[in-house]
Amino acid sequence: MNYKKNDRVVLDIEDMGAEGEGVGKMDGFPLFVKDALIGDRIEARITKLKTRYGYARLEKVLVPSSFRVEPVCRFHRQCGGCQLQALSYEKQLEFKQNKIRNNLVRIGGFSEALVSGCMEPIVGMDERFHYRNKAQVPIGTDKEGNLVAGFYAGRTHNIIANTDCALGVAENREILEVILAYMRENHICAYDETTGNGLVRHVLIRKGFASGELMVCIVINGSRLPEGEKLVERLRRIPGMTSVSYSVNRKNTNVIMGDEIHMLWGSRTIQDRIGGILFSVSPLSFYQVNPVQTKKLYDLAVEYADLKGMETVWDLYCGIGTISLFMAQKAGQVYGVEVVPQAIEDARENARLNGVGNAAFFVGKAEDVLPEKYEREGIRADVIVVDPPRKGCDEKCLDTILKMRPERIVYVSCDSATLARDLKVLCDGGYELMRWRGVDMFGMTVHVESIVLLSKLKSNKLKHTNVELEIDELDLAAAESKATYEEIKDYVLN
């Protein structure tokens, strides 16, 4: 191959990578091109070459794809948030469905026929913008030293100044502009992560879609927020404002929120309602960011669980008890497990708010609590629901699930690669894939939620997969490792 860095090439984009990059080939050599779409003919400049693949920057769209649409946000190429905004929504759904299916086949080792036979149509969104009930916005300065609020450019910590993200609620803009004005007038500096100096790091904003209540929490690198009463006075004028607080985070870390929450004004929580269930949400609560699609997802979880009224259900990684309370309406008894103590406090309060007496919640890691309750106290399970973080379930947790032998397992996942890895373990242990479905919770992005139903085999035959199927080493390694996608890809392909 005679190509080198900075060469310009013309590519026909034939495929899309897992992170939404267009994939074109020059003499059979694949190039990944951010912002290029399947069906485009483009001019690109090579930025990096490796042994078996490379990267290029989109310079010009020569012939646009029939799937290309006009983006709503002018920052869509710079911002790291909306990788698919230039792609038609119907094609976004197809991309996400294929992403889940490919991971089930390549990583999970399930046959194409089985995966296709169990597949149900992906659940799309009616409102594709302004659907997020939560924003975590970094505060910084631009090159001229002016205060800015916005979002990080892709793969960087450079802030793109934008107070009106197309995915967030309308109130975000006014809230952020009030905070920036307050900081300028009171000479309050933004945090500089390179030096560790400065005070204001991030702004957390939450909105209860059903209640209209607003929460603001300022994350600071210090012990107090100077002239906080002046900020409160302005924020209180915004309709719906219910809670104003600050979180102390002095650590040199990418973790946004600190452990300490100090109230400046109002209630510690806001309330929201999903499917008739009332939820109390604190600054540290895990609460799905798209409440409209969450209702659809949790209704599916209850449908997959197929509860008759007497079952014992375990909800692992339960957060503030959202799925637990949905299940409690149809089950005999529900047990929820979550590692964050504040979340369990919220879950118990949510059960109390809704008059739910058949749900109990435990603080701890699922892989610790579940074995203890099963082996020492004999608490069994008819149905187990898991909704783990992106890294998937702990191996010990999967082992205990297999020992408990529930009739059904409902697995909700935000990462179909680790989902597929875990399903392989569960199906090798005596379960079979019955149903699966994608739910688009994150329109305009490459992320997609999945829900899967596994049923216990009625015989000792462990019918898992087509054993001759070749596993995709790249995806498998990425799913099982803490290394970056780049490091794994370079290692496997070289």
Side-chain angles (χ1 to χ4, degrees):
M1 186 185 68
N2 297 320
Y3 296 100
K4 61 185 183 300
K5 184 178 178 180
N6 290 323
D7 280 354
R8 289 177 177 266
V9 294
V10 173
L11 295 172
D12 290 317
I13 303 302
E14 304 169 355
D15 202 354
M16 292 180 68
E19 297 304 311
E21 328 96 309
V23 182
K25 293 182 179 179
M26 49 183 194
D27 300 330
F29 185 85
L31 284 176
F32 292 84
V33 188
K34 180 181 175 293
D35 302 312
L37 303 178
I38 189 167
D40 280 342
R41 168 166 283 193
I42 66 167
E43 182 180 296
R45 180 170 58 84
I46 297 173
T47 57
K48 184 186 294 185
L49 289 172
K50 294 182 176 288
T51 305
R52 295 180 60 186
Y53 64 96
Y55 294 93
R57 183 187 304 279
L58 175 64
E59 297 289 327
K60 183 187 296 185
V61 177
L62 302 175
V63 181
S65 166
S66 60
F67 308 118
R68 185 174 281 277
V69 298
E70 187 64 30
V72 169
C73 177
R74 63 191 176 99
F75 300 111
H76 79 281
R77 285 189 62 177
Q78 303 148 273
C79 179
C82 290
Q83 305 92 341
L84 301 180
Q85 199 175 129
L87 187 65
S88 72
Y89 188 65
E90 292 70 28
K91 201 66 177 177
Q92 289 184 36
L93 294 181
E94 181 182 320
F95 166 82
K96 294 180 180 188
Q97 183 94 322
N98 288 338
K99 182 176 182 177
I100 303 168
R101 174 167 44 199
N102 291 341
N103 281 334
L104 291 177
V105 172
R106 294 173 181 173
I107 299 174
F110 298 96
S111 70
E112 286 273 10
L114 175 61
V115 170
S116 296
C118 296
M119 179 179 70
E120 298 174 349
I122 188 169
V123 180
M125 297 167 54
D126 296 323
E127 299 295 331
R128 295 152 194 183
F129 293 95
H130 305 296
Y131 61 80
R132 288 186 61 95
N133 60 15
K134 175 184 176 183
Q136 294 183 123
V137 183
I139 305 294
T141 55
D142 62 17
K143 293 179 181 179
E144 288 73 41
N146 300 308
L147 285 168
V148 294
F151 298 90
Y152 292 129
R155 301 181 184 275
T156 76
H157 272 203
N158 299 323
I159 299 174
I160 299 169
N162 178 20
T163 58
D164 192 18
C165 171
L167 302 189
V169 297
E171 292 89 344
N172 287 351
R173 180 176 184 175
E174 183 177 1
I175 290 168
L176 292 171
E177 289 178 354
V178 164
I179 291 170
L180 290 175
Y182 149 79
M183 291 177 65
R184 286 191 292 265
E185 292 167 11
N186 293 280
H187 308 290
I188 295 173
C189 296
Y191 176 72
D192 183 339
E193 61 184 25
T194 59
T195 65
N197 297 324
L199 185 66
V200 178
R201 301 174 67 133
H202 280 79
V203 176
L204 166 72
I205 305 171
R206 290 186 185 269
K207 180 178 180 179
F209 274 30
S211 66
E213 294 180 351
L214 292 167
M215 167 185 287
V216 174
C217 184
I218 319 290
V219 184
I220 63 172
N221 176 45
S223 59
R224 57 181 292 272
L225 192 64
E227 307 291 345
E229 67 281 356
K230 294 181 180 179
L231 176 61
V232 167
E233 181 183 356
R234 293 189 183 184
L235 289 175
R236 287 179 63 180
R237 299 172 190 165
I238 299 173
M241 190 59 62
T242 302
S243 174
V244 182
S245 63
Y246 66 89
S247 170
V248 175
N249 184 359
R250 292 174 169 152
K251 298 177 182 177
N252 181 14
T253 175
N254 288 331
V255 176
I256 293 175
M257 300 296 292
D259 296 329
E260 299 177 39
I261 304 293
H262 299 270
M263 293 306 304
L264 289 171
W265 171 82
S267 171
R268 185 185 69 85
T269 63
I270 61 172
Q271 291 189 340
D272 199 15
R273 189 179 295 274
I274 300 178
I277 300 176
L278 189 63
F279 293 101
S280 179
V281 184
S282 71
L284 296 177
S285 295
F286 173 78
Y287 187 63
Q288 291 279 11
V289 300
N290 187 334
V292 174
Q293 294 299 97
T294 296
K295 167 69 163 57
K296 299 175 185 178
L297 176 67
Y298 291 173
D299 282 346
L300 280 172
V302 173
E303 179 186 329
Y304 279 22
D306 191 24
L307 302 173
K308 306 302 182 186
M310 298 299 293
E311 294 89 350
T312 297
V313 178
W314 277 90
D315 178 16
L316 310 184
Y317 313 95
C318 70
I320 64 170
T322 45
I323 293 180
S324 299
L325 297 183
F326 268 71
M327 293 288 170
Q329 297 176 99
K330 297 288 185 70
Q333 177 67 45
V334 176
Y335 298 103
V337 183
E338 171 59 55
V339 71
V340 180
Q342 180 62 60
I344 289 297
E345 287 184 28
D346 290 343
R348 290 168 178 160
E349 174 62 13
N350 289 330
R352 187 194 66 77
L353 282 174
N354 290 278
V356 175
N358 61 334
F361 298 95
F362 305 106
V363 177
K365 295 180 179 179
E367 55 267 28
D368 294 333
V369 173
L370 194 61
E372 177 185 348
K373 297 297 178 183
Y374 172 64
E375 294 168 5
R376 296 185 183 179
E377 300 183 26
I379 300 178
R380 60 183 185 83
D382 298 299
V383 176
I384 290 181
V385 181
V386 293
D387 185 6
R390 193 166 297 279
K391 67 178 182 178
C393 292
D394 182 272
E395 183 179 352
K396 185 178 176 183
C397 179
L398 293 175
D399 288 343
T400 305
I401 290 173
L402 291 174
K403 287 179 184 177
M404 294 178 76
R405 302 287 292 161
E407 289 295 320
R408 290 172 297 285
I409 301 169
V410 179
Y411 196 131
V412 178
S413 171
C414 60
D415 188 318
S416 57
T418 54
L419 164 71
R421 179 203 65 198
D422 291 349
L423 293 185
K424 183 179 189 299
V425 174
L426 294 170
C427 288
D428 282 345
Y431 285 82
E432 59 182 328
L433 179 64
M434 303 299 293
R435 301 170 66 180
W436 71 270
R437 195 166 194 178
V439 179
D440 188 18
M441 304 277 282
F442 317 104
M444 308 300 136
T445 80
V446 296
H447 305 295
V448 60
E449 204 84 4
S450 314
I451 182 166
V452 174
L453 171 63
L454 301 178
S455 181
K456 184 170 65 175
L457 285 170
K458 300 305 181 185
S459 69
N460 292 326
K461 182 182 178 183
L462 303 183
K463 58 170 190 178
H464 166 42
T465 60
N466 173 2
V467 294
E468 296 179 354
L469 188 69
E470 181 179 350
I471 301 297
D472 185 313
E473 291 180 306
L474 172 61
D475 286 344
L476 181 59
E480 293 182 339
S481 172
K482 293 183 179 179
T484 66
Y485 186 80
E486 288 291 321
E487 292 166 340
I488 292 298
K489 180 153 58 177
D490 192 46
Y491 172 77
V492 173
L493 295 182
N494 290 290

